[in-house]
Amino acid sequence: MHKWLKAVVLLGVLTGLQLPAQAGPAEDLRAFQDYFRKKFPDIPFDEFSNGVYALPQAKDAREQWQQVMRMPPYEIALEKGKEFWDQNSLGSCFKNGGRNIAQHYPYWDKRTHMVRTIELDINECLRRKGKDPIEDLKQGTMAQVAAYMKSLSRGQRIKIDISDPDALEAYDEGRRFYWAKRGQLNFSCADCHVTYVGKQLGGDILGPGLGHTVGFPVYRAEWGGLGTLHRRYATCNLQVRAAPFVPQSRQYRNLEFYETYLQQGLPLAAPSQRR
Amino acid sequence: MKRIAHLIAGTTIILGIAHVSPAAAVGEMPDKQTCASAKSGIIAGGCIATDREKGNCMACHSFTGIERTRLQAGNIGPPLVAVKARYPSQKRLREQVVDASQFNPHTVMPLFGKYRILTDNEIDLIVQWLYSL
């Protein structure tokens, strides 16, 4: 398997780049959101927070999803996240005790000169308290705690600040990642979540890029629990036979920065459930 | 590897091909046993085309025969119909499978030959199968 993955990394990366003309984040944002508004004029803006279930193509799946969400399968995990949060008094590390701040994540941090995510700040908080950081950044405790922290900001509208010139570099790396073809199967994120949104790839409906990130962490039966956004990124990379990056790697943090900026104005709806 | 291959298919299709006789008519999907012994011809091509770890063509295209299987066809690419009528030469058809980016630089159709997803022989067989659709 490793030999196979290695061969794959060399392929496809950065070929056939279909980046829209560079005009700056404000322009990117308008073009991106307008594309989805025009393509789906009957979907109210806030509805996009429900991911693929916002689409008319997913009408049947949506009914099932609404059933599931009446007794969400992540309840126990969320409860565990709250226990961990309280036991370690994580609230003391965050503004406002951690309430109504998740809409500003991820953010560009001047001091550490990097994009910081909720997962990184949770571990930083543990470190400051002399405790061991959480190692698994894809699932388990981290997904539970991040889900709990995000739930404290449910409904808050995404507001990402990229006014710092250095933040633009990170944003731009994320942007290139999103539009670059990669993997042996040669797909960009945008191929599936912008260009072919609503189409069917075998039995899966391709969900809209507008709405990405705001429901995470999500519960998936296939995962048997909650997973973080970077776990989903790895899944999407593997689907096209591209080598995934490590969760919380610079590449994935910058991708999250770019993707989340494009959600500006959408209400947070985490945690959620997805197929 | 198995698990990864599962992820890669990117779909939740239940694999299980409906039984049809080995002397399957053109365009029909043969069963696993038939595929295991088919080394050449249209049937072998159809087997490679519908193998999730090979062509996986149904992820994006529908075609005759698929409705008799439990595979679910996607609709990212056009239905593969009347291929012979539209492609006077097998050469041009082969090029589409080898490297679809020659005709559309932004294509999402995997570059089956160029990126060595399929061998030359496998592509030859797929082209024979395509010509029967």
Side-chain angles (χ1 to χ4, degrees):
Chain A
M1 185 211 106
H2 285 292
K3 213 173 70 190
W4 169 80
L5 266 186
K6 220 185 275 162
V8 165
V9 207
L10 302 173
L11 295 164
V13 179
L14 298 179
T15 58
L17 211 63
Q18 201 181 15
L19 270 172
Q22 175 65 287
E27 281 306 307
D28 290 353
L29 178 64
R30 188 160 346 124
F32 187 81
Q33 296 198 347
D34 279 355
Y35 172 86
F36 289 99
R37 280 205 179 95
K38 283 205 189 101
K39 193 156 179 116
F40 303 105
D42 296 333
I43 304 179
F45 181 69
D46 287 3
E47 217 5 77
F48 282 101
S49 284
N50 295 326
V52 68
Y53 303 116
L55 299 181
Q57 289 88 340
K59 197 170 159 288
D60 295 344
R62 184 192 173 89
E63 275 163 27
Q64 284 174 23
W65 174 69
Q66 281 172 327
Q67 290 274 347
V68 170
M69 288 297 275
R70 264 185 236 148
M71 269 225 292
Y74 51 73
E75 268 327 43
I76 293 168
L78 197 58
E79 197 52 45
K80 284 193 188 149
K82 178 178 165 32
E83 270 166 35
F84 188 94
W85 177 275
D86 291 342
Q87 269 164 17
N88 295 285
S89 22
L90 294 180
S92 65
C93 294
F94 295 95
K95 216 192 283 175
N96 208 17
R99 271 172 203 283
N100 297 339
I101 60 166
Q103 70 273 22
H104 303 297
Y105 276 86
Y107 64 98
W108 175 256
D109 183 45
K110 264 190 171 37
R111 200 176 50 83
T112 53
H113 204 79
M114 67 194 286
V115 169
R116 297 197 63 91
T117 60
I118 277 187
E119 289 87 346
L120 283 191
D121 276 2
I122 287 171
N123 267 347
E124 177 61 22
C125 177
L126 286 168
R127 238 179 247 115
R128 265 194 272 158
K129 291 174 184 286
K131 300 192 170 150
D132 289 337
I134 301 165
E135 264 177 44
D136 189 338
L137 300 164
K138 280 185 146 174
Q139 60 204 345
T141 305
M142 181 52 91
Q144 292 161 5
V145 183
Y148 177 67
M149 179 167 167
K150 282 242 189 131
S151 76
L152 298 177
S153 303
R154 228 184 142 83
Q156 295 295 315
R157 292 180 186 278
I158 298 288
K159 196 165 192 303
I160 304 295
D161 174 15
I162 42 174
S163 52
D164 188 312
D166 291 337
L168 268 178
E169 256 171 64
Y171 170 90
D172 221 53
E173 189 185 33
R175 182 173 180 271
R176 284 196 306 272
F177 196 117
Y178 195 81
W179 292 88
K181 294 237 186 216
R182 66 184 67 236
Q184 193 183 29
L185 300 187
N186 205 39
F187 273 80
S188 70
C189 311
D191 282 337
C192 284
H193 295 295
V194 180
T195 311
Y196 287 99
V197 56
K199 290 278 186 189
Q200 244 175 276
L201 180 69
D204 288 333
I205 298 168
L206 297 170
L210 181 58
H212 274 184
T213 78
V214 307
F216 275 81
V218 305
Y219 180 99
R220 297 182 70 214
E222 199 173 319
W223 288 344
L226 285 171
T228 59
L229 181 63
H230 293 193
R231 185 179 187 186
R232 179 73 237 191
Y233 284 171
T235 305
C236 283
N237 278 162
L238 282 165
Q239 274 182 16
V240 298
R241 300 185 188 171
F245 291 90
V246 171
Q248 300 305 322
S249 56
R250 190 195 75 240
Q251 289 88 344
Y252 278 178
R253 279 183 291 105
N254 289 348
L255 178 61
E256 178 177 347
F257 191 46
Y258 170 74
E259 266 211 303
T260 312
Y261 174 74
L262 296 177
Q263 316 307 327
Q264 207 84 308
L266 271 184
L268 277 176
S272 194
Q273 189 268 346
R274 296 287 188 266
R275 205 181 78 156
Chain B
M1 177 67 209
K2 256 247 139 73
R3 220 172 67 88
I4 297 221
H6 197 77
L7 283 173
I8 285 160
T11 59
T12 41
I13 304 166
I14 304 153
L15 200 72
I17 298 179
H19 183 87
V20 293
S21 75
V26 158
E28 284 195 17
M29 294 299 112
D31 62 25
K32 274 189 202 160
Q33 256 178 323
T34 312
C35 283
S37 53
K39 294 280 175 277
S40 63
I42 293 166
I43 297 211
C47 291
I48 297 162
T50 50
D51 183 333
R52 288 172 51 174
E53 292 179 42
K54 298 277 187 180
N56 198 25
C57 309
M58 66 286 176
C60 299
H61 298 282
S62 60
F63 38 79
T64 314
I66 196 94
E67 73 285 356
R68 284 189 292 276
T69 73
R70 282 158 66 193
L71 298 171
Q72 203 168 349
N75 57 10
I76 290 174
L80 300 173
V81 289
V83 176
K84 199 171 184 174
R86 294 183 297 113
Y87 289 83
S89 91
Q90 287 200 13
K91 188 167 167 290
R92 167 65 179 77
L93 191 56
R94 197 174 194 284
E95 284 168 359
Q96 172 73 31
V97 181
V98 168
D99 178 6
S101 72
Q102 297 171 73
F103 310 107
N104 170 9
H106 303 303
T107 190
V108 290
M109 175 155 155
L111 315 182
F112 288 100
K114 194 175 174 197
Y115 285 175
R116 298 178 194 284
I117 300 165
L118 298 173
T119 65
D120 284 351
N121 183 46
E122 286 168 339
I123 293 173
D124 287 340
L125 293 171
I126 283 194
V127 171
Q128 286 182 43
W129 165 77
L130 275 173
Y131 233 48
S132 78
L133 294 175

